[in-house]
Amino acid sequence: MKKTLVSALTTALVIGAASTTFAASNPFSDVPADHWAYDAVSQLAADGVITGYGDSTFQGNRNITRYEMAQMIAKAMAKTDVSAADKAMIDKLAAEFSDELNNLGVRVSNLEKHSDMVKWNGKLRYTYDSKRVEKEDSNAKDKTNKDELLFRLEPTAEVNDHWNVKARVDAKTYMDSDSGQNDSDEVKLKRAYAEGNYKNFSTQLGKFGLYTPEQGLVFDDEMSGAKVTFGKDLKASLYAGRIDLSDSATAKNMANGSTHYDDTANIQGITLQYDNPAASKLSGGAAYYHLNSDSFKGSTDNKINSGIQYADGDNKEDEANIWSVNAAYNFDGTSKLSAAYANNTSADNLNYSWQALYNYKGAQAENKGTWGAYAGYRYLGTNASLFGTQDAQIVGAKGWEVGANYTPFKNVVATAKYFNGKGIESDRDAETLWGRVEFLF
């Protein structure tokens, strides 16, 4: 293809604009200001119709391929501020290069499809947590405040029609020690797994989230391994793998400087859950979880074993055998009453947990002005709720909890919670003020 064809395109596209505007700055080293095509080439480069070559040259004297010409025509076709004469010229060139444009369209479509196969979600989250616990020797309370800032990214990549690869990366810092990088700052790959979805069957392989159906009474954490789920309304889930004990809710609440026999535990579990809102307002299920680790063994040297151990003395059990049941009643689609119970049959103290909750509506991130509220009573035995949900509530305590959430702007959700209760063993007063603001994208 000779330079004359390029000349026809460039002249047709800029002839109307050249008489009323100055040409844009020329990015090409081989098109000097006194070149006959300087104005046309400069304007087309500014409009994004031509890009030249990687060495910042235009190379207007070389032959171009029909595919290169089709690329320029495609970019010209995307322009909207062209005259009728210019459009007629573009249409004529498009007809001449229709085969190349069709091929280019296929390539563009495939590129767009592949770009859509990777999607990014995430959030910026600020959490304020203020815990006040009665001192052992007085009525005064120890007060512990925490200002946590978290940035989270959650990419999802489509593998094929049934499989996706997902991940979660958390970058966390604490604003009460805001002095640049410090020991409390951390960036962690929290999750990385493949997920397969088929009719009445799904599976997860890798490190994924484990939120158990009794509303997180037993597990609200991550595990590494495999999980499979069968069924539609009545679903059975089986999973096996390992779980990090040092990152458990229980360990976080216990004394520092403790001994650790194992950082991880082997875990196997099965859950059976029924939920069909169209057929019944009732839902519920049962579950069994088995874990084993030396960290469950009782201490014989009067040292605390990260708070995960059972009672001191003769107990040498290295297992946790936890079963749970849960039930819920959905009144009218806006309010729900739920209850759950869990028991660790291998533990000899703090071996059971239970909760009863009432939820009304709920904030929806995509809908501005939506809100929700809840109230409930929770009793969280340390050895039953090893990895249980805890924010306002404290594992090892019992008491009332209330909360509300609200969406003031689209994709911005604010939540507030308050807990008031006592330590299960110590019987000392405890309360928590808890708040969170999330910006979702």
Side-chain angles (χ1 to χ4, degrees):
M1 191 65 58
K2 299 294 185 181
K3 184 183 71 174
T4 53
L5 190 51
V6 179
S7 304
L9 176 61
T10 59
T11 302
L13 290 174
V14 300
I15 191 169
S19 61
T20 56
T21 62
F22 293 103
S25 175
N26 176 35
F28 304 121
S29 60
D30 60 345
V31 184
D34 59 351
H35 193 280
W36 68 269
Y38 179 85
D39 288 347
V41 170
S42 299
Q43 190 62 50
L44 284 172
D47 289 344
V49 175
I50 58 176
T51 57
Y53 294 87
D55 59 354
S56 299
T57 61
F58 177 61
Q59 299 184 24
N61 291 323
R62 68 177 288 275
N63 291 346
I64 65 171
T65 66
R66 290 181 64 88
Y67 182 72
E68 287 173 330
M69 188 64 189
Q71 286 181 308
M72 288 190 286
I73 297 170
K75 293 174 182 177
M77 292 171 65
K79 288 172 60 65
T80 57
D81 55 340
V82 295
S83 66
D86 293 341
K87 188 176 187 307
M89 176 62 75
I90 294 171
D91 290 342
K92 184 176 180 180
L93 290 167
E96 170 64 24
F97 292 85
S98 59
D99 290 339
E100 287 77 8
L101 286 170
N102 286 336
N103 290 334
L104 178 62
V106 170
R107 295 184 186 189
V108 171
S109 297
N110 286 341
L111 179 61
E112 291 174 348
K113 179 180 178 181
H114 283 287
S115 66
D116 289 341
M117 290 173 67
V118 180
K119 297 180 180 179
W120 291 83
N121 295 311
K123 65 176 66 175
L124 177 67
R125 187 180 80 187
Y126 168 73
T127 305
Y128 172 76
D129 186 342
S130 179
K131 286 184 168 58
R132 298 97 185 268
V133 179
E134 182 182 356
K135 294 182 178 179
E136 186 175 3
D137 54 355
S138 70
N139 292 327
K141 291 184 178 180
D142 281 324
K143 182 177 178 181
T144 304
N145 292 338
K146 183 172 68 175
D147 293 272
E148 178 189 282
L149 187 64
L150 177 142
F151 179 72
R152 172 174 291 169
L153 288 175
E154 295 184 297
T156 298
E158 178 184 334
V159 178
N160 53 46
D161 291 341
H162 296 288
W163 286 87
N164 295 282
V165 172
K166 298 183 177 183
R168 171 181 289 183
V169 179
D170 284 356
K172 186 186 298 184
T173 188
Y174 293 91
M175 299 175 67
D176 54 352
S177 56
D178 188 17
S179 57
Q181 185 71 22
N182 55 68
D183 292 340
S184 66
D185 292 343
E186 59 180 41
V187 178
K188 283 188 176 182
L189 178 63
K190 300 288 288 185
R191 299 178 184 179
Y193 62 98
E195 182 176 77
N197 290 289
Y198 296 84
K199 185 178 181 180
N200 299 333
F201 171 79
S202 64
T203 184
Q204 294 174 315
L205 306 169
K207 186 173 184 179
F208 49 87
L210 179 61
Y211 183 80
T212 48
E214 67 283 335
Q215 291 186 280
L217 182 65
V218 180
F219 288 100
D220 184 3
D221 211 282
E222 281 89 20
M223 66 165 285
S224 298
K227 176 183 177 181
V228 294
T229 301
F230 306 88
K232 184 179 178 181
D233 300 330
L234 180 63
K235 292 184 177 181
S237 295
L238 303 169
Y239 44 87
R242 293 175 68 80
I243 193 164
D244 185 4
L245 293 177
S246 64
D247 196 38
S248 69
T250 305
K252 290 177 181 177
N253 277 293
M254 293 299 149
N256 293 323
S258 54
T259 340
H260 228 355
Y261 298 114
D262 257 344
D263 284 336
T264 58
N266 296 317
I267 177 174
Q268 301 86 38
I270 178 172
T271 66
L272 190 65
Q273 194 73 15
Y274 173 80
D275 188 10
N276 184 354
S280 174
K281 294 183 177 181
L282 280 170
S283 60
Y288 171 73
Y289 316 102
H290 172 80
L291 299 88
N292 66 281
S293 165
D294 282 345
S295 290
F296 296 119
K297 290 182 178 180
S299 171
T300 57
D301 55 6
N302 297 320
K303 292 183 179 179
I304 299 175
N305 180 26
S306 294
I308 299 172
Q309 66 169 10
Y310 300 144
D312 291 347
D314 297 331
N315 190 343
K316 297 298 181 183
E317 184 69 68
D318 66 351
E319 295 183 339
N321 290 286
I322 304 171
W323 60 269
S324 71
V325 291
N326 70 91
Y329 186 82
N330 195 333
F331 289 93
D332 52 10
T334 60
S335 58
K336 185 177 182 179
L337 182 64
S338 59
Y341 176 85
N343 190 294
N344 183 350
T345 59
S346 296
D348 51 8
N349 67 322
L350 300 172
N351 59 335
Y352 68 92
S353 297
W354 67 273
Q355 63 186 18
L357 302 170
Y358 173 76
N359 291 272
Y360 180 73
K361 293 186 176 181
Q364 302 168 6
E366 67 277 10
N367 294 323
K368 175 184 175 181
T370 55
W371 65 280
Y374 79 96
Y377 186 90
R378 306 180 74 195
Y379 181 108
L380 301 185
T382 307
N383 293 321
S385 295
L386 290 173
F387 300 84
T389 299
Q390 59 162 352
D391 32 49
Q393 173 81 35
I394 304 171
V395 171
K398 56 184 178 181
W400 292 94
E401 184 178 323
V402 295
N405 53 16
Y406 177 66
T407 305
F409 311 102
K410 183 178 180 181
N411 294 329
V412 179
V413 180
T415 306
K417 299 182 179 183
Y418 174 72
F419 166 76
N420 190 295
K422 292 179 178 291
I424 295 175
E425 288 190 315
S426 68
D427 201 42
R428 297 201 298 268
D429 292 339
E431 63 178 336
T432 304
L433 298 175
W434 189 94
R436 173 173 287 172
V437 180
E438 297 176 289
F439 299 86
L440 300 99
F441 59 89

